[in-house]
Amino acid sequence: MDIDCLPIAKTGYFSKLICDYVAAETELKPLYNRFPDVEGFKGQLEEKGKHFTNAHRDVLHNSMLKQYKNTDVSKKTSANIELLKEKNTFTIVTGHQLNLFTGPLYFLYKIISTINLTKQLKTAYPDSNFVPIYWMATEDHDFDEINYFNFKGLKFQWNKDASGAVGHLKTKGLGEVFDLFAQTIGDSKNASHLKGLFENAYLKHDNLTDATRYLANEIFKDYGLVIVDGDDADLKKLLVPYMKKDIFEQIAFKKVTETIEELEQISSDYPVQVNPREINYFYLKDGIRERIIQSKEKYLVNDTTISFTKEELIDEMDAHPERFSPNVIARPLYQEVILPNLCYIGGGGEIAYWLELKAAFEAMNIPFPILLVRNSALIITEKQADKLERMNISKSDIFLKQNSLINKKIREISNIDIDFSPQKKLLEEQFKDLYALTEKTDKSFLGAVKAQEVKQKKGLDALEKRLLQAQKRKLRDQVVRMTELQNEIFPNQSLQERQLNFSEFYLEYGEDLVPMLFEALQPLDLTFTVITQK
């Protein structure tokens, strides 16, 4: 196995905001607490240690024992749950939706980045303990985002009428998905393992929360992963004071709105990832998850007949905190209230919205965590690596846009140098003389000279393009092979990790897949990893 690292800015798949954050651009410094490097964690340890109470630790520990009551807990995970009681124990967190059969491949990358970071921090700060956490997004209600996974160009989809929190959904009906998947993947040893994993997760658990916990636990239990379900009455009791500040004082709405304005002033190339609402909580009960809206003196649950006065809403929060579900703005705060957390690891989109939240955290007097862009990776099989080598396509070349890749390689392999850059440069030099002559004679002709220069440059561009097209036709076989190979490595011209499911690689690598990824992914490198099998 060869491991190569590319700057993420060179891949063409990350936003300017994330590239600038990874590059530690000074203009973004006010939007985060500490930079994600080993040294940054020293101050984070001190700050979180002062703010996180033993009382919160006790609630967290007891909730984890309850949540794991019916789960086969490994010794390492059990030890980590017990460590949560200790004042020198801290967490590293990643979160993800309850995607069917893990969904995209980067589900694994998120969790592996999290576990690897805890190992690095233990080496750097041996007097502290570090527990990797996977936060299940059990309260999300976007069923259409999570009800499928891809395998070898096929989409396996769970067709079901769904409403409310996805974690509450019954797994009835997933037998049909299993049957189709089992028929597709064959009967090899690795295929049999995948079938067993799917069957035990989804056909032997009643709801999507339990199924996802089983699945993630089976894949990562030997690494000590602790899985947290925020849909928990005892944990939400700790959030109630912050719910009230959000709902009645609109602190998050005001502070996040101010930060968005700051971002827009820094750069117009920083799009707003999420917009805050005046109230950033849903009401969660009896199969519904609907926004809470203030209307005059009443608090209404959107699209229902449920309403509260202020006093009634306060009583409801105190008596039934589990009925209040944070949205994308409030959920990060919930996480940091209930966990002794140092760092959140997420994808580019997640880190982009976290960068909107620091001022809201400060107003709530909760330490803002370090933000780390998760590892991204490209797995190149041995067969693909051989093809790349034969076609003399480098690791950086394969990330080029398809047309740019083909043009570059055609120029390299062609017996004709189809690059008119020297001619364009010569043309510019000639027009410099014409501009000088026009200045001395009649300046009114400058526009005509400029128009003529533009016309001739366009003519050269058109001729260059036509010659390239002619060469592409002559070298059609090479063009087809390059196109097919890049489409194979970047399905749908997107990152592999966003399109493929882990099962596709498990069929090929089996039990070696996860250890291979643990070896390759280094969370604090802040680069894109290319894994080549040989």
Side-chain angles (χ1 to χ4, degrees), residues 169-331:
L169 294 177
K170 300 300 182 183
T171 52
K172 185 178 179 181
L174 278 169
E176 296 175 9
V177 179
F178 170 73
D179 290 341
L180 288 171
F181 182 57
Q183 293 168 21
T184 304
I185 63 176
D187 296 310
S188 67
K189 176 185 175 183
N190 293 340
S192 296
H193 178 80
L194 288 171
K195 291 175 191 177
L197 197 58
F198 191 106
E199 183 176 13
N200 289 332
Y202 296 104
L203 306 190
K204 297 183 180 179
H205 291 88
D206 292 334
N207 60 59
L208 198 54
T209 292
D210 292 343
T212 304
R213 181 185 292 279
Y214 173 86
L215 183 61
N217 183 64
E218 277 300 301
I219 297 172
F220 292 109
K221 63 184 179 182
D222 293 338
Y223 299 92
L225 182 68
V226 175
I227 302 164
V228 174
D229 178 9
D231 190 6
D232 182 299
D234 292 331
L235 293 177
K236 283 189 177 176
K237 283 180 185 177
L238 303 178
L239 184 63
V240 169
Y242 306 94
M243 290 183 195
K244 293 174 181 177
K245 288 183 178 182
D246 183 293
I247 293 172
F248 302 124
E249 300 176 43
Q250 298 185 352
I251 287 177
F253 174 71
K254 294 170 185 174
K255 293 299 181 180
V256 175
T257 299
E258 291 172 5
T259 301
I260 288 173
E261 291 172 357
E262 288 179 39
L263 267 168
E264 290 173 339
Q265 289 173 5
I266 294 172
S267 174
S268 59
D269 293 324
Y270 294 165
V272 176
Q273 194 68 24
V274 293
N275 284 294
R277 295 186 182 277
E278 287 82 356
I279 296 174
N280 293 288
Y281 284 85
F282 296 90
Y283 191 67
L284 181 66
K285 185 184 177 185
D286 298 334
I288 65 163
R289 185 180 186 246
E290 293 289 346
R291 290 192 295 119
I292 300 170
I293 303 168
Q294 185 176 6
S295 177
K296 297 179 181 178
E297 300 302 314
K298 286 278 193 176
Y299 292 87
L300 313 178
V301 178
N302 193 45
D303 288 338
T304 74
T305 59
I306 302 169
S307 66
F308 303 92
T309 65
K310 181 176 180 180
E311 292 72 23
E312 288 170 341
L313 192 60
I314 290 172
D315 290 343
E316 184 79 350
M317 281 188 275
D318 291 336
H320 298 287
E322 72 279 5
R323 294 178 182 174
F324 293 82
S325 177
N327 73 359
V328 68
I329 292 288
R331 190 211 60 77

Side-chain angles (χ1 to χ4, degrees), residues 64-76:
M64 289 303 94
L65 292 179
K66 291 176 185 175
Q67 290 188 18
Y68 271 89
K69 186 177 180 181
N70 298 316
T71 303
D72 180 18
V73 188
S74 69
K75 288 182 179 179
K76 200 157 188 177

Side-chain angles (χ1 to χ4, degrees), residues 63 88 96 245 275 302 323 443-444 523 529:
S63 286
N88 64 335
H96 198 65
K245 288 183 178 182
N275 284 294
N302 193 45
R323 294 178 182 174
K443 292 183 180 180
S444 66
T529 305

Side-chain angles (χ1 to χ4, degrees), residues 31-45:
L31 303 181
Y32 60 90
N33 198 4
R34 295 178 179 89
F35 193 71
D37 54 28
V38 171
E39 293 74 22
F41 281 92
K42 184 176 186 296
Q44 200 71 25
L45 278 162

Side-chain angles (χ1 to χ4, degrees), residues 113-151:
S113 297
T114 302
I115 295 170
N116 274 349
L117 182 55
T118 62
K119 295 176 183 177
Q120 283 183 264
L121 292 177
K122 184 63 178 176
T123 300
Y125 301 101
D127 293 335
S128 297
N129 304 309
F130 304 93
V131 174
I133 301 287
Y134 160 45
W135 181 289
M136 293 193 294
T138 56
E139 295 176 50
D140 279 2
H141 58 253
D142 295 320
F143 180 66
D144 290 342
E145 291 185 4
I146 62 115
N147 68 343
Y148 68 93
F149 66 97
N150 298 317
F151 177 83

